[in-house]
Amino acid sequence: MFTYLFKRAFTLLFVLLGLAVLIFVIARIVPGDPARIALGPLATAEQVTKLQNEMGLNDPYPVQLWTYLSGLVQGDLGKSLLTSRPVMDDIMGALPATFELVLFTVVLQILISIPLGVIAAIYRNTWIDSVLRVISLLGVVTPGFVLAIILQLIAAHYLGFFPVTGRIDPGIGFSAEITGLLTIDGLIAGRFDVVIDALRHLFLPAIALAAAGIGQVMRITRTAMIEVSSRDFVEASRAYGIPERVVTFRYMLRVASVAPLTILGLEFASLIGNAFIVEFVFSWPGIASYGVRTILQKDLNAVIGVVLVSGVFFVVANLAIDLLLGILDPRHRIRAGRGS
Amino acid sequence: MSVMDDPAAPAHGLSARQMALYRFRRNPLAVIGALIVISVILAAIFAPWIAPSPESAGSFVDFRNRHSPPNWQNLMGTDNVGRDVFSRVIFGYRVSLGLVVWVLGVAVPFGIVLGLCAGYFGGWTETIIMRFTDIMLALPPLAMALAITAVLSPNLINAMIAITLLWWTWHTRLIYRIVKGQMNEDYVEAARVAGASHMHILFRELLPNCFSAVAVKISLDAGFVILFGASLSFLGLGVQPPTPDLGTMVATGSEYLPEMWWQAVMPGLAILYAILGFNLLGDGLRDMLDVEL
């Protein structure tokens, strides 16, 4: 297990380093001078040179790369030209909102898709299965922003209970200072009004974000459960007289959950990507909203920071899923430990 | 289900191709998918002849007729300057499919060649290509595409470049896996013993064995490229007005929600329709050609 962990951590470091260098290269090879872009077409040549020197753009590339990497290690991503604050501070300020949304989305995905997948497998080839199949298909093919708009439309008209913008009702007057997650901090402070309000705000964006993953995971769960149901150990457990409920949910689901969990891990990538769109539609004050704003303003340091942070988020999420799989299925641990 | 245990299957006298076609036709969802894809392609090709009001594709205005809800004249209503939404959707398919053809036309061959080389040569070639692919796959694609388009200044061509730069990785990994699995097969060994060149083995022996997987992947990809392009435009980073693009139309239309819902919802449903078609077709092809991705 330790070799396995060590190997994984090493790969992680390697990928992160590669990610950082790659982003540096992309940011430097693109045509256009970042200083000129930042200052706009009206700036004088002197102003541009001054900013170039400030940003270190006139140093040789290896020196620039070194400055950039050593800054990264200390958590320094440079200054945002848009907010003139350190990019790291801006991102740290926006990260909890995104984290809460993504976390809630994943919880929603697991709670909805796995049970529905199991139900589809139990009632396979009946009308229940067909209905669930259509739902999962629609989930997969509906673009996040279209779903977001349709949800907003429905919510605005019929479901007044779910607000369509923001993270919390500004009238409540509560700031999350411990974890930054409104739901958790609300619970800690014993403010149930805050928790309820935060959940109300979370619901629609999370559904819009979760749909694609729900569709996919449902299908995979169904296939995995059907595949597992023909194994000998299932028959043997039934023959022992173990209740069907236990066989299905404790024995079969444990084996069958490996595939859906892998997919959930991979979904993280598209989850962060889609968060850009969903946060934009719902005016969610997260890192993706910040990203879109800074991208539109050509705020290069901030853009690099956002891409890097989402990359790290993705890589770490994949590692977490991998470790979880190792716990659920020892064979996975051994395979990966051998370094395949 | 394999062909052998399908009781309704015609017993004999069918070639492998006829058999595959037969299986495809027996799958209603795949046929629906194929029909949807054909309708989208035809709409894109013949847009100027099909669209009820071809002038709506440009910067045409008709203020007397703005914001009119769906009716017989304008099946999907009209937008904020009185253009026919249905006609714009048809022209929008042109932009979307153009994006698909460009992105896949460049990214797929590139990804395939890298995947073939990594799987076949092994050693350092493999390490370098696959590690680089892993890193590229670790980047959140939409965030990267946003960053690239934004730095290059937002328009259709740059959106295409950004998506292409990210798309080859999936094909590299897919081909790499297939080639790795094929390397121990006898036919590769036989070709090598017979003195075939690397080029011959790569492109005449290994590549044909990747075709069915690539076909399925391309069909599934097409839907995602459309989605990707539409998402970029929706954020204002892709196609610029007045070119009719489905994502841009949803974005513009969403300013008139909830009263004038059709302006955002109709183009949104049009995107959904195209993606649904490519997905069903891809799933159908996967069952028909019996490949695992």
Side-chain angles (χ1 to χ4, degrees):
Chain A
M1 187 72 193
F2 276 112
T3 348
Y4 172 61
L5 265 179
F6 181 76
K7 262 204 157 122
R8 293 295 324 199
F10 185 74
T11 324
L12 181 75
L13 274 181
F14 186 78
V15 170
L16 288 182
L17 182 69
L19 185 66
V21 173
L22 188 72
I23 290 174
F24 174 83
V25 171
I26 290 176
R28 285 297 172 269
I29 58 163
V30 292
D33 171 8
R36 166 59 74 184
I37 292 174
L39 291 171
L42 295 176
T44 62
E46 264 166 52
Q47 285 173 311
V48 173
T49 323
K50 186 160 166 281
L51 188 66
Q52 276 177 342
N53 286 332
E54 259 173 49
M55 291 167 79
L57 292 172
N58 291 331
D59 300 335
Y61 284 134
V63 176
Q64 284 191 40
L65 180 63
W66 177 249
T67 328
Y68 160 76
L69 285 180
S70 51
L72 269 189
V73 175
Q74 297 158 25
D76 178 11
L77 290 166
K79 235 165 126 182
S80 158
L81 299 165
L82 177 72
T83 61
S84 35
R85 292 180 350 131
V87 170
M88 203 60 186
D89 292 3
D90 280 347
I91 289 180
M92 281 305 156
L95 205 53
T98 299
F99 192 59
E100 190 168 33
L101 178 60
V102 169
L103 215 58
F104 191 70
T105 304
V106 173
V107 171
L108 220 55
Q109 281 179 336
I110 295 175
L111 288 183
I112 296 176
S113 61
I114 293 187
L116 286 185
V118 172
I119 291 173
I122 294 175
Y123 297 100
R124 61 174 165 274
N125 304 329
T126 65
W127 64 272
I128 300 177
D129 188 21
S130 309
V131 169
L132 289 176
R133 192 183 165 136
V134 171
I135 292 176
S136 86
L137 189 63
L138 283 179
V140 172
V141 300
T142 310
F145 61 96
V146 174
L147 183 60
I149 282 176
I150 292 176
L151 283 175
Q152 275 192 337
L153 202 59
I154 297 173
H157 262 280
Y158 305 105
L159 313 164
F161 183 69
F162 295 112
V164 292
T165 53
R167 207 177 155 206
I168 191 164
D169 186 353
I172 284 189
F174 179 83
S175 72
E177 271 155 12
I178 308 166
T179 58
L181 307 183
L182 286 167
T183 42
I184 307 285
D185 284 4
L187 274 181
I188 294 172
R191 293 277 304 272
F192 290 103
D193 55 329
V194 173
V195 179
I196 302 279
D197 195 62
L199 287 177
R200 275 174 47 198
H201 280 82
L202 271 169
F203 189 71
L204 293 179
I207 288 280
L209 200 51
I214 289 178
Q216 247 185 326
V217 176
M218 246 168 85
R219 266 202 229 175
I220 306 272
T221 312
R222 176 184 180 274
T223 320
M225 284 296 282
I226 290 177
E227 201 260 311
V228 169
S229 68
S230 63
R231 299 241 189 111
D232 290 342
F233 80 91
V234 177
E235 213 45 51
S237 322
R238 286 209 184 103
Y240 273 129
I242 296 169
E244 192 58 36
R245 195 164 31 88
V246 178
V247 175
T248 308
F249 288 98
R250 188 132 356 123
Y251 297 169
M252 285 166 62
L253 191 55
R254 178 172 169 152
V255 179
S257 62
V258 173
L261 278 175
T262 317
I263 297 296
L264 273 172
L266 293 175
E267 268 293 305
F268 255 91
S270 47
L271 217 52
I272 295 163
N274 285 336
F276 271 82
I277 310 261
V278 170
E279 287 191 3
F280 185 74
V281 177
F282 287 96
S283 320
W284 190 261
I287 183 176
S289 294
Y290 176 70
V292 172
R293 255 192 318 146
T294 52
I295 283 169
L296 290 173
Q297 299 293 323
K298 299 198 178 296
D299 183 348
L300 204 56
N301 280 344
V303 174
I304 293 176
V306 169
V307 174
L308 199 58
V309 168
S310 21
V312 169
F313 197 70
F314 173 54
V315 176
V316 171
N318 267 335
L319 178 67
I321 287 284
D322 235 33
L323 294 179
L324 192 60
L325 287 180
I327 294 168
L328 281 171
D329 183 355
R331 281 174 307 175
H332 181 83
R333 197 157 65 214
I334 295 162
R335 246 196 328 264
R338 286 201 193 114
S340 61
Chain B
M1 180 167 65
S2 83
V3 190
M4 297 309 273
D5 32 77
D6 184 351
H12 38 230
L14 289 183
S15 68
R17 179 173 301 176
Q18 284 170 316
M19 206 64 234
L21 251 172
Y22 171 77
R23 261 200 273 178
F24 189 77
R25 278 208 307 264
R26 298 259 306 161
N27 180 349
L29 285 178
V31 174
I32 294 175
L35 290 177
I36 294 179
V37 169
I38 291 171
S39 71
V40 170
I41 294 175
L42 288 180
I45 295 176
F46 299 108
W49 295 279
I50 296 177
S53 126
E55 64 276 10
S56 291
S59 44
F60 163 81
V61 286
D62 178 8
F63 280 110
R64 273 171 309 171
N65 200 17
R66 65 199 292 240
H67 297 311
S68 69
N71 55 49
W72 284 116
Q73 197 98 57
N74 307 102
L75 288 176
M76 295 182 174
T78 61
D79 67 2
N80 56 334
V81 292
R83 292 177 296 199
D84 180 33
V85 174
F86 182 59
S87 302
R88 285 179 69 72
V89 162
I90 290 177
F91 275 92
Y93 279 144
R94 261 193 172 185
V95 177
S96 301
L97 287 188
L99 190 71
V100 170
V101 170
W102 163 282
V103 168
L104 296 182
V106 177
V108 171
F110 185 70
I112 288 179
V113 170
L114 282 185
L116 280 173
C117 291
Y120 178 69
F121 291 113
W124 275 105
T125 325
E126 177 182 354
T127 312
I128 293 172
I129 294 178
M130 292 322 290
R131 286 292 152 258
F132 185 60
T133 309
D134 283 347
I135 294 170
M136 290 297 285
L137 283 167
L139 298 168
L142 194 60
M144 277 310 289
L146 286 173
I148 298 172
T149 0
V151 177
L152 293 176
S153 89
N155 60 45
L156 180 61
I157 303 292
N158 287 338
M160 284 178 172
I161 295 176
I163 304 175
T164 312
L165 280 177
L166 297 164
W167 216 272
W168 57 269
T169 49
W170 299 99
H171 289 267
T172 302
R173 200 160 70 166
L174 175 68
I175 298 295
Y176 167 75
R177 274 203 209 126
I178 298 175
V179 172
K180 271 274 153 189
Q182 299 279 323
M183 283 308 282
N184 297 326
E185 297 285 330
D186 290 340
Y187 74 91
V188 179
E189 198 52 46
R192 199 175 299 164
V193 172
S197 67
H198 288 317
M199 291 300 271
H200 178 90
I201 298 178
L202 278 176
F203 293 101
R204 302 298 288 276
E205 304 287 344
L206 288 168
L207 187 59
N209 283 294
C210 304
F211 274 149
S212 34
V214 171
V216 174
K217 181 88 180 121
I218 285 182
S219 175
L220 291 171
D221 267 5
F224 285 113
V225 172
I226 293 176
L227 171 61
F228 223 77
S231 307
L232 282 180
S233 311
F234 176 74
L235 294 172
L237 291 166
V239 181
Q240 300 299 312
T243 312
D245 174 85
L246 300 170
T248 320
M249 287 166 74
V250 176
T252 325
S254 66
E255 287 163 27
Y256 302 97
L257 288 174
E259 287 78 20
M260 274 94 61
W261 54 271
W262 58 90
Q263 297 180 25
V265 172
M266 289 302 184
L269 292 180
I271 302 173
L272 200 158
Y273 177 76
I275 300 175
L276 178 70
F278 280 109
N279 249 297
L280 290 177
L281 179 65
D283 280 349
L285 286 177
R286 175 163 51 197
D287 293 344
M288 171 178 121
L289 300 169
D290 204 15
V291 286
E292 269 184 47
L293 291 186

